[in-house]
Amino acid sequence: MENAVADLTLVMGNKNFSSWSFRPWIMMRHAGITFEESLVVLYSDNFKGQVRRHPGAGHVAGQVPVLLDGGEAVWGSFAILEYLADKFPDKGLWPEDIMMRAKARSGAGEIHSGFTALRSALPMNIRLEPKQIPHSDGVMADAARIEEFWAECLARNLDGGPFLFGAFGNVDAMYAPVVNRLHVYKVPVSPISRAYMDAVMALPAWREWDAAAREEPWDYELYIR
Ligand SMILES: N[C@@H](CCC(=O)N[C@@H](CS)C(=O)NCC(=O)O)C(=O)O
């Protein structure tokens, strides 16, 4: 359902590469929260200044994403998702049950601050044709822990799934870039994880982001694997 009240702008990076921007974007699009996009191209001149030039954003860290709302700015993917859950309580962005909500936040916190081996070795690259590359022990250990968390969530089959706590929510949005990473770099995963990844990648919001990423002109050596 479209939300008529919102007057939000997401300051964000290029869709093909900006994994942090992808999180609030896919959540808002999936939940039907109306927003404008303001693109700051990754690695362009004075990136931080371009981000901070937005109204109300003079004090932010200078990275993307930033959410602008009513002349104020919220920065950082996790904080933006929390803000959206507060602002749109009817959207069910976190599980309703207090313990399930806490567990979803635990998982979201883990991906926000951890899995550095996987995140640095396998950059999000939406349009990359899946290709096999060698994976380090660190990458495999991170992938195993991600799969362990997913399996624990999916075994509960909350509300019949198919997402981590039933309906697609903030925790799924936090893991969305990892879905791309595991997919395009052909990290071997269990059938349970594969089914979850396929469900995420089949979302209309994912497909919209994917299609737009394929149209973008920017490419960077840094992301070649
Ligand atoms: N912890 C931040 C990280 C944001 C981040 O690293 N964004 C990258 C783009 S995906 C960025 O702005 N890079 C440009 C820079 O750091 O100058 C979040 O959760 O949003």
Side-chain angles (χ1 to χ4, degrees), residues 5-224:
V5 187
D7 186 15
L8 304 170
T9 298
L10 188 66
V11 183
M12 52 189 281
N14 329 359
K15 290 191 171 80
N16 198 56
F17 297 114
S18 185
S19 58
W20 301 96
S21 304
F22 189 24
R23 293 164 168 155
W25 190 99
I26 193 171
M27 189 68 259
M28 285 196 280
R29 192 59 110 224
H30 177 78
I33 296 169
T34 305
F35 64 101
E36 302 287 325
E37 297 179 14
S38 179
L39 171 67
V40 180
V41 175
L42 296 175
Y43 310 108
S44 58
D45 285 349
N46 191 20
F47 182 89
K48 183 174 175 174
Q50 292 186 62
V51 173
R52 287 184 158 193
R53 202 173 294 144
H54 290 83
H59 62 291
V60 305
Q63 296 182 313
V64 290
V66 175
L67 185 72
L68 308 176
D69 186 12
E72 297 283 352
V74 182
W75 65 101
S77 55
F78 204 168
I80 293 171
L81 290 170
E82 288 285 13
Y83 178 72
L84 293 168
D86 285 344
K87 189 174 170 83
F88 301 102
D90 57 318
K91 299 286 189 190
L93 303 190
W94 291 117
E96 200 175 328
D97 176 83
I98 185 172
M99 181 49 74
M100 291 303 113
R101 193 157 67 242
K103 286 180 188 293
R105 284 196 175 107
S106 295
E110 224 180 315
I111 187 69
H112 191 240
S113 61
F115 303 123
T116 44
L118 186 144
R119 283 185 9 218
S120 57
L122 310 179
M124 188 183 87
N125 188 338
I126 293 286
R127 63 180 174 237
L128 184 72
E129 213 37 57
K131 66 189 256 194
Q132 190 68 65
I133 61 168
H135 297 304
S136 69
D137 291 348
V139 167
M140 292 309 290
D142 281 354
R145 171 57 197 150
I146 289 166
E147 287 202 80
E148 182 181 44
F149 171 64
W150 287 357
E152 183 209 343
C153 296
L154 296 167
R156 287 192 203 99
N157 197 27
L158 279 183
D159 300 326
F163 301 106
L164 296 177
F165 291 83
F168 187 88
N170 276 348
V171 66
D172 301 287
M174 287 296 289
Y175 280 87
V178 156
V179 167
N180 167 261
R181 292 163 145 129
L182 297 178
H183 175 68
V184 297
Y185 301 106
K186 290 184 173 245
V187 178
V189 295
S190 70
I192 291 169
S193 296
R194 188 66 250 178
Y196 170 68
M197 290 161 60
D198 288 345
V200 175
M201 292 171 65
L203 288 172
W206 177 293
R207 297 169 82 90
E208 185 185 341
W209 177 277
D210 182 300
R214 287 169 200 278
E215 297 299 313
E216 290 179 340
W218 307 284
D219 236 324
Y220 309 106
E221 288 278 317
L222 192 67
Y223 290 86
I224 295 173

